[in-house]
Amino acid sequence: MLIHKDMKMADVIHLNHHLLHVINRFGIQLGFGEKSVKQVCELHQVPLPFFLEIVNTFHDSTYFPVESMLQFKASELIEYLHQTHQYYLDFRIPEIENYIRRLTNDNSFDEEIKVLLLDFFRQYTHELTIHINKEEQRVYPYVLALEHYLQDNKLEKELVEQLKAYSIHEYEEDHDDVESKLFDLKNILIKYIPQPKDSRILNLILHEIFELEKDLNNHAHIEDLILVPIVEKMEQDFLTISNQDKTL
Amino acid sequence: MNEVVKILVIEKSYIIREGLKALLSQMGLAFRMDEADCIKDSFQKLLEKYEPQVVIANQLQLSEKWHGNRNSTAFTGLIIIGIVHSIPDENQTSHFDFTLNVMNSKSALTNDFQDIFVKIGLVSEENDSETISEREADVLRLVALGLTNNEIAERLFISVHTVMTHRKNITRKLGIKTVSGLTVYAILNKLVESGELKGGRKE
């Protein structure tokens, strides 16, 4: 069942509580009362169609965004993706690291193995951070500049040159590398960790990793299925305009 | 093993498409399913767009818009499964590798899918739980120590190609892809001592 505008926001959470942190990224917090999705969005000045697409792609991994997604503003999308990055780096990653640190508290877990896991997880975090920084520092500013240019139609020669030199396709490739380490970590925990006396904390770590993985997949899904087509369209518009204007 | 199989379904009926999706998701197969109502233009164009490994197509849809020869290079490596609604006439289904009768019961359809996927090698009959061989353990040890494929080949007197085959099998059996992941495995299983690691090479 998909999320639609007339549902109560509270029922959305009853239906799928994993959506809570997605909803938070729009600046919407708990305490919905009897308000519908539409009312909550209006209250927080969140564009309703945009909200529904994002929530539904997360809710149902087979859901394909409607064609009207090309109308979404790239800046709205980037704000959401940015919030997602913050959530990973400020919340999810430190939380997993904390759990790994707690592994030796009950003395049943070998210190050396804890260090090994922590080390591996830090390597992963390092790669994820590099990937995120690349998007935040290179890709998003490019998209925002492109959108800005198309809105204002102000032609600055320097900007136009910069935009011409880059294309969204340059960044489409590399989602895979970061995923492999997380995949490995799951198998190491599930299959190869020497059995501890009590695996409750390991269970928690594993649970967190699955959640993170689901979230990352959705993040990549939104970039590939919504952001990239929007930017492709803007790039086309941009080329048409800048070609017409021979002064550039 | 963990590779995602791309499946393209060409079928007008929404209910049949959803039904196929539900069945496929019970097959223990990592897949991505793309859907097309019908073949608007040509079959080749759809193939170019979705690049599927397996096509499951309504028998009528495909016979009408079928251009070209089943043996042509455009279809090399592609598995085409025809959706039929009754016992089909041989002539109408010759361009399919397999047919699937959607009027069958759930268990019959599950068996059919299982048979097809085993035959084309997407699902293996034996389980994947085999442990690594001694030779693979040798290779894994050297991978963990940070040696390149060339160095490993030299050290073990085998070809680079053989090293790569071993590495592929190690990854398939263990479910660990990265060098640092394999290193953790090697230490946990005492194939190497953490003191031996130079800590130099990272991917």
Side-chain angles (χ1 to χ4, degrees):
Chain A
M1 180 180 165
L2 291 179
I3 316 294
H4 61 87
K5 65 178 171 43
D6 298 321
M7 280 168 85
K8 280 187 190 174
M9 191 62 103
D11 289 338
V12 173
I13 305 305
H14 278 298
L15 182 69
N16 183 353
H17 70 271
H18 296 283
L19 292 173
L20 252 181
H21 57 251
V22 177
I23 291 171
N24 289 162
R25 290 168 200 163
F26 292 93
I28 300 171
Q29 311 294 337
L30 288 172
F32 309 122
E34 310 306 323
K35 287 194 262 314
S36 68
V37 170
K38 184 166 178 266
Q39 287 166 330
V40 173
C41 281
E42 277 164 4
L43 195 69
H44 290 85
Q45 297 175 325
V46 173
L48 181 65
F50 178 63
F51 178 86
L52 286 173
E53 288 309 306
I54 297 291
V55 168
N56 277 319
T57 45
F58 196 93
H59 176 55
D60 178 352
S61 58
T62 61
Y63 177 79
F64 195 89
V66 291
E67 295 197 358
S68 63
M69 72 184 183
L70 284 174
Q71 311 303 321
F72 295 155
K73 283 178 71 176
S75 48
E76 280 163 4
L77 201 53
I78 282 175
E79 174 58 22
Y80 173 79
L81 293 170
H82 171 71
Q83 291 296 336
T84 316
H85 285 159
Q86 291 303 315
Y87 171 78
Y88 300 148
L89 295 181
D90 297 346
F91 184 72
R92 203 113 231 180
I93 297 283
E95 195 169 62
I96 297 175
E97 191 168 323
N98 270 336
Y99 282 133
I100 298 178
R101 284 172 192 285
R102 271 175 55 190
L103 275 173
T104 40
N105 281 0
D106 65 350
N107 289 328
S108 77
F109 208 84
D110 196 8
E111 179 72 25
E112 195 191 345
I113 293 171
K114 184 186 94 169
V115 172
L116 201 61
L117 283 179
L118 207 53
D119 230 38
F120 185 74
F121 187 68
R122 286 199 182 134
Q123 283 181 39
Y124 167 72
T125 311
H126 178 69
E127 277 174 31
L128 182 70
T129 312
I130 289 175
H131 176 81
I132 286 177
N133 286 345
K134 190 178 153 199
E135 291 188 351
E136 293 277 352
Q137 287 161 16
R138 188 154 164 75
V139 183
Y140 297 170
Y142 162 75
V143 176
L144 291 176
L146 194 59
E147 186 179 64
H148 190 72
Y149 167 82
L150 287 171
Q151 270 170 7
D152 294 3
N153 234 330
K154 268 199 197 125
L155 306 172
E156 285 165 40
K157 193 162 185 175
E158 204 178 319
L159 177 69
V160 174
E161 289 306 318
Q162 275 173 13
L163 292 180
K164 275 183 178 166
Y166 187 78
S167 151
I168 192 70
H169 290 288
E170 280 179 40
Y171 115 105
E172 265 184 285
E173 14 45 82
D174 65 3
H175 277 136
D176 285 359
D177 315 334
V178 196
E179 283 168 26
S180 295
K181 274 216 168 63
L182 205 57
F183 175 88
D184 288 358
L185 188 55
K186 280 193 309 188
N187 270 330
I188 289 169
L189 292 176
I190 297 172
K191 292 160 78 176
Y192 302 119
I193 279 291
Q195 287 191 350
K197 282 200 196 101
D198 178 353
S199 61
R200 274 179 296 184
I201 295 183
L202 281 178
N203 295 354
L204 282 174
I205 295 173
L206 209 49
H207 174 79
E208 287 293 317
I209 291 172
F210 274 107
E211 290 284 307
L212 175 63
E213 188 184 41
K214 182 173 154 46
D215 210 311
L216 286 166
N217 284 342
N218 180 254
H219 183 85
H221 200 65
I222 287 175
E223 287 176 339
D224 295 343
L225 292 182
I226 308 184
L227 182 67
V228 169
I230 289 178
V231 178
E232 275 171 349
K233 185 171 172 290
M234 291 199 304
E235 281 177 348
Q236 260 175 7
D237 293 349
F238 167 72
L239 274 182
T240 318
I241 296 171
S242 62
N243 282 340
Q244 279 166 359
D245 194 333
K246 296 288 182 211
T247 57
L248 289 166
Chain B
M1 183 189 58
N2 294 296
E3 270 169 41
V4 176
V5 180
K6 285 192 211 163
I7 299 176
L8 171 64
V9 172
I10 307 169
E11 163 64 55
K12 190 169 178 160
S13 158
Y14 170 71
I15 288 183
I16 291 180
R17 290 202 311 267
E18 285 298 304
L20 286 172
K21 199 186 291 172
L23 272 174
L24 284 167
S25 62
Q26 293 169 21
M27 301 302 302
L29 181 76
F31 70 99
R32 197 189 93 194
M33 183 174 136
D34 290 304
E35 301 174 40
D37 271 358
C38 59
I39 301 176
K40 282 195 193 99
D41 214 336
S42 84
F43 185 41
Q44 273 92 335
K45 279 206 177 140
L46 271 182
L47 294 182
E48 279 161 26
K49 183 169 175 200
Y50 294 109
E51 299 176 332
Q53 287 135 285
V54 179
V55 170
I56 305 178
N58 185 304
Q59 181 202 350
L60 296 173
Q61 273 294 329
L62 206 50
S63 3
E64 280 170 14
K65 299 278 173 99
W66 181 270
H67 304 297
N69 184 342
R70 176 66 179 94
N71 295 323
S72 98
T73 50
F75 307 118
T76 307
L78 180 71
I79 304 293
I80 307 177
I81 304 172
I83 300 174
V84 297
H85 298 88
S86 59
I87 294 169
D89 183 339
E90 278 284 317
N91 295 329
Q92 290 168 3
T93 57
S94 59
H95 47 288
F96 296 129
D97 301 298
F98 304 96
T99 56
L100 203 63
N101 183 346
V102 289
M103 304 307 281
N104 271 343
S105 69
K106 182 182 172 190
S107 61
L109 280 165
T110 309
N111 284 338
D112 288 349
F113 260 138
Q114 181 73 25
D115 284 351
I116 292 172
F117 288 144
V118 168
K119 271 184 195 145
I120 60 184
L122 288 177
V123 174
S124 72
E125 266 177 307
E126 75 263 37
N127 57 20
D128 240 348
S129 69
E130 358 158 31
T131 46
I132 56 170
S133 69
E134 266 181 52
R135 198 50 163 173
E136 283 160 0
D138 292 340
V139 172
L140 176 53
R141 205 183 107 74
L142 297 175
V143 170
L145 290 175
L147 272 69
T148 64
N149 284 351
N150 280 325
E151 290 165 341
I152 296 172
E154 222 165 89
R155 188 80 71 90
L156 298 179
F157 304 106
I158 53 180
S159 72
V160 176
H161 180 78
T162 311
V163 175
M164 283 158 70
T165 309
H166 282 315
R167 289 190 63 164
K168 236 190 202 162
N169 287 335
I170 293 169
T171 290
R172 180 177 57 82
K173 288 176 182 177
L174 302 182
I176 300 180
K177 298 176 185 170
T178 64
V179 171
S180 31
L182 291 169
T183 307
V184 173
Y185 174 89
I187 297 172
L188 289 177
N189 287 278
K190 314 239 181 301
L191 293 173
V192 291
E193 297 283 328
S194 41
E196 287 181 81
L197 301 172
K198 280 176 283 184
R201 208 173 86 99
K202 280 179 187 160
E203 345 152 48

